[in-house]
């Protein structure tokens, strides 16, 4: 499965669970081309999502091919943020990051949103990740999280694992009842903290500095990514 097919599989699952509506974006920060760089980013909304961010970008040299998807639920459902990231290096390795970012960490909440994903992960042979988990993401790490570089022969398994995670996540989100205003406000506070970390600490901004000016990168992270 190539990156475009993987992207289409993700969006098809979400659309089947709750139909997607694409949001118009400024091409200056979502649709960028140069001789060595290509960026295509899309935003969607859905019944229980404030935003779904889906981005593809490729770099000619060194050869990199990125698919990044982040799903932001509406706070009244108190659901985790879902993140899926695949980076192809043009060699025999790829980088993947899968995790859910939970506004609560009590046992009952984790039993619904994290433990089923951990069980899915345990059904696969160990993914022997190479590379350190980013420091800023450590407070968000769960047992279901996968991060690092993998041999290309694990790509199909990791793709299947991600799609299985997504099935569980979407089923839970579709059936969870809205929470009260105080819990929704607490969830929003958590989402805001994660978004601030993503805007200020994620290394993707450093990569984009080679291809986009800083003002457009800031707009991309503020208006498109988050």
């Amino acid at each position: 499965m190539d990156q475009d097919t993987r992207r289409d599989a993700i969006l098809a699952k979400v659309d089947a669970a709750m139909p997607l509506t694409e949001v118009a974006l400024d091409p200056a920060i979502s649709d960028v081309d140069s001789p060595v760089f290509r960026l295509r980013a899309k935003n969607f909304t859905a019944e229980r999502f404030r935003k779904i961010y889906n981005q593809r970008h490729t770099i000619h040299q060194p050869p990199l091919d990125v698919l990044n998807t982040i799903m932001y639920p509406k706070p009244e459902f108190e659901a985790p943020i879902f993140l899926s990231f695949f980076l192809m290096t043009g060699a025999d390795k790829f980088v993947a990051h899968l995790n859910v970012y939970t506004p609560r960490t009590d046992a009952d909440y984790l039993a619904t949103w994290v433990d089923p994903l951990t069980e899915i992960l345990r059904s696969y042979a160990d993914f022997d990740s190479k590379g350190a988990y980013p420091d800023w993401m450590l407070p968000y790490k769960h047992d279901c999280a996968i991060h690092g570089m993998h041999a290309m022969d694990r790509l199909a398994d990791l793709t299947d694992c991600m799609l299985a995670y997504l099935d569980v996540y979407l089923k839970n989100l579709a059936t969870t009842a809205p929470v009260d205003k105080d819990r929704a406000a607490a969830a929003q506070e958590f989402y805001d903290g994660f978004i601030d970390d993503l805007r200020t600490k994620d290394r993707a901004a450093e990569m984009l500095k080679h291809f986009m000016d800083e003002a457009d990168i800031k707009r991309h992270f503020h208006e498109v990514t988050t």
Side-chain angles (χ1 to χ4, degrees):
M1 183 181 292
D2 63 18
Q3 293 280 63
D4 287 337
T5 306
R6 191 172 293 108
R7 173 203 61 205
D8 293 346
I10 291 170
L11 295 178
K13 281 187 178 291
V14 182
D15 192 56
M18 48 195 81
L20 295 171
T21 300
E22 188 169 351
V23 177
L25 298 172
D26 182 351
I29 55 174
S30 66
D31 194 353
V32 181
D33 284 294
S34 79
V36 296
F37 176 75
R38 184 175 189 265
L39 170 71
R40 295 290 184 271
K42 293 182 180 296
N43 279 178
F44 302 89
T45 59
E47 180 186 0
R48 296 190 170 212
F49 287 107
R50 175 186 66 84
K51 175 183 287 190
I52 294 173
Y53 166 73
N54 185 263
Q55 185 233 66
R56 292 274 288 108
H57 77 257
T58 54
I59 298 171
H60 178 66
Q61 191 62 38
L64 297 176
D65 184 350
V66 174
L67 169 64
N68 189 16
T69 305
I70 309 175
M71 303 183 188
Y72 302 95
K74 294 178 180 178
E76 57 263 36
F77 300 106
E78 201 184 42
I81 293 168
F82 184 97
L83 184 146
S84 168
F85 177 89
F86 285 81
L87 183 155
M88 306 297 127
T89 66
D92 59 351
K93 302 287 185 181
F94 70 98
V95 174
H97 182 200
L98 307 178
N99 198 18
V100 288
Y101 296 78
T102 61
R104 287 169 46 193
T105 57
D106 57 276
D108 287 345
Y109 188 89
L110 297 182
T112 298
W113 293 102
V114 174
D115 294 352
L117 308 188
T118 305
E119 288 302 309
I120 291 169
L121 178 59
R122 289 172 179 163
S123 71
Y124 290 88
D126 286 347
F127 293 110
D128 187 19
S129 301
K130 304 295 184 184
Y133 209 89
D135 287 345
W136 76 267
M137 290 184 174
L138 285 173
Y140 302 108
K141 187 178 180 182
H142 290 295
D143 289 342
C144 65
I146 302 171
H147 181 278
M149 185 170 285
H150 307 267
M152 192 60 71
D153 62 7
R154 300 308 309 277
L155 179 58
D157 280 348
L158 247 166
T159 299
D160 289 345
C161 183
M162 177 271 295
L163 293 173
Y165 279 15
L166 184 56
D167 283 337
V168 172
Y169 176 81
L170 291 170
K171 181 179 179 180
N172 283 339
L173 181 57
T175 56
T176 193
V179 298
D180 62 40
K181 290 182 179 180
D182 288 343
R183 284 171 56 179
Q188 186 61 61
E189 183 177 0
F190 171 83
Y191 300 154
D192 290 343
F194 172 80
I195 286 168
D196 185 65
D197 282 346
L198 192 61
R199 289 172 175 175
T200 59
K201 299 176 182 178
D202 190 74
R203 292 183 60 191
E206 292 297 320
M207 182 187 301
L208 293 177
K209 284 181 180 179
H210 299 286
F211 311 104
M212 298 169 64
D213 66 47
E214 290 196 24
D216 283 345
I217 293 170
K218 183 175 181 179
R219 286 189 62 206
H220 180 86
F221 270 80
H222 282 71
E223 299 175 31
V224 184
T225 305
T226 58

